[in-house]
Amino acid sequence: VVVIDSGLGQAWGERDRARYRVDPEVPGLGQALAGIGVDPAAVTDAVLTHLHFDHAGGWVERDADGELVPVLAGAVHHVQRAQWEWAEQAAPRDRGSYLAERYQPLSRAGLIQLHDGEGSLFPGLEVLRFDGHTPGLQAPVLRGETGSAVAFPADLMPTLSHGGSNWIMAYDLQPLVTFKDKQRFLERAAAERWAVVLEHDPEIEAVRVTAGAEGFEFTPGACPATI
Ligand SMILES: [Zn+2]
């Protein structure tokens, strides 16, 4: 069982809840898994696209003593080395997006596995590496037995509004690298007919990409339940 990105999680104090508008109705990771019949202890692998807290804040929860501890205590947590080192040096430009208390418990528990670049983590799961949003963002691509695939580009393409190659978040550290990153991602997404999940889009779960005469075109839909 593989989990990709945890979201914000629920282990926040009142001030942060208000600031980030954490919805108390949305369950934390452990509860969410239990809600779909998956025992958190049965999860073998967690893929962290990157360590910004809105994607990686939910890998930990508070125990009875109020300590932040891993939710998936039996899972290998896969991260790109470049992203881990970037977070550790706490660069001023996106320092506010890294909270060591959210990812250090994973390291202390020996659950972190660092990777250098692209490749297959195991059969059916490949990661692509992009550096424009933040160094060492990895986008997992899950491949099914029928040849269909689902990709999670995370903040390379957070919403459908960022679908076109030119529509890049001002927040990205290297916008021109994002431009090339996205072009490369979308070419493969179109050629291989991936369902592309939009982690930040409030309305659209996923899109299919086609290469049109005037650029890429996007057809919204649901993330396929099976591949
Ligand atoms: Zn991010």
Side-chain angles (χ1 to χ4, degrees):
V1 180
V2 183
V3 175
I4 294 165
D5 277 359
S6 65
L8 268 170
Q10 282 292 349
W12 298 92
E14 278 314 308
R15 201 177 67 128
D16 287 330
R17 283 186 169 279
R19 184 191 288 176
Y20 305 128
R21 290 207 232 156
V22 181
D23 183 346
E25 300 294 311
V26 175
L29 177 58
Q31 254 189 312
L33 287 170
I36 55 169
V38 175
D39 179 359
V43 177
T44 54
D45 296 87
V47 180
L48 287 64
T49 61
H50 60 314
L51 295 167
H52 286 166
F53 68 76
D54 54 325
H55 294 258
W59 297 116
V60 292
E61 63 189 353
R62 293 204 187 275
D63 68 8
D65 299 325
E67 295 291 316
L68 287 167
V69 295
V71 178
L72 308 177
V76 178
H77 291 59
H78 302 273
V79 190
Q80 288 287 315
R81 186 185 309 276
Q83 174 62 188
W84 186 271
E85 290 176 353
W86 182 259
E88 283 295 274
Q89 74 178 36
R93 178 67 174 77
D94 62 348
R95 180 162 44 205
S97 293
Y98 292 107
L99 294 171
E101 62 171 29
R102 301 276 146 176
Y103 56 82
Q104 284 299 352
L106 305 171
S107 177
R108 280 198 295 275
L111 299 177
I112 292 287
Q113 186 170 329
L114 299 177
H115 297 273
D116 295 298
E118 305 194 334
S120 172
L121 296 189
F122 44 80
L125 177 56
E126 175 190 1
V127 294
L128 306 175
R129 175 181 162 172
F130 301 107
D131 293 314
H133 175 63
T134 183
L137 178 146
Q138 62 183 358
V141 183
L142 290 173
R143 233 171 274 281
E145 286 167 355
T146 59
S148 60
V150 181
F152 297 76
D155 286 346
L156 173 63
M157 191 169 133
T159 75
L160 183 52
S161 303
H162 301 94
S165 302
N166 277 323
W167 297 97
I168 291 166
M169 288 195 289
Y171 184 67
D172 283 8
L173 297 176
Q174 302 186 81
L176 295 178
V177 174
T178 295
F179 180 87
K180 285 187 189 163
D181 283 348
K182 209 190 301 178
Q183 195 73 19
R184 181 164 73 90
F185 174 81
L186 291 174
E187 278 167 10
R188 272 196 72 188
E192 299 177 25
R193 299 283 297 140
W194 295 343
V196 175
V197 173
L198 306 172
E199 290 189 32
H200 279 292
D201 200 297
E203 281 156 14
I204 298 163
E205 203 168 274
V207 288
R208 297 274 178 183
V209 186
T210 44
E214 292 176 16
F216 294 104
E217 290 164 11
F218 302 94
T219 309
C223 178
T226 56
I227 52 173

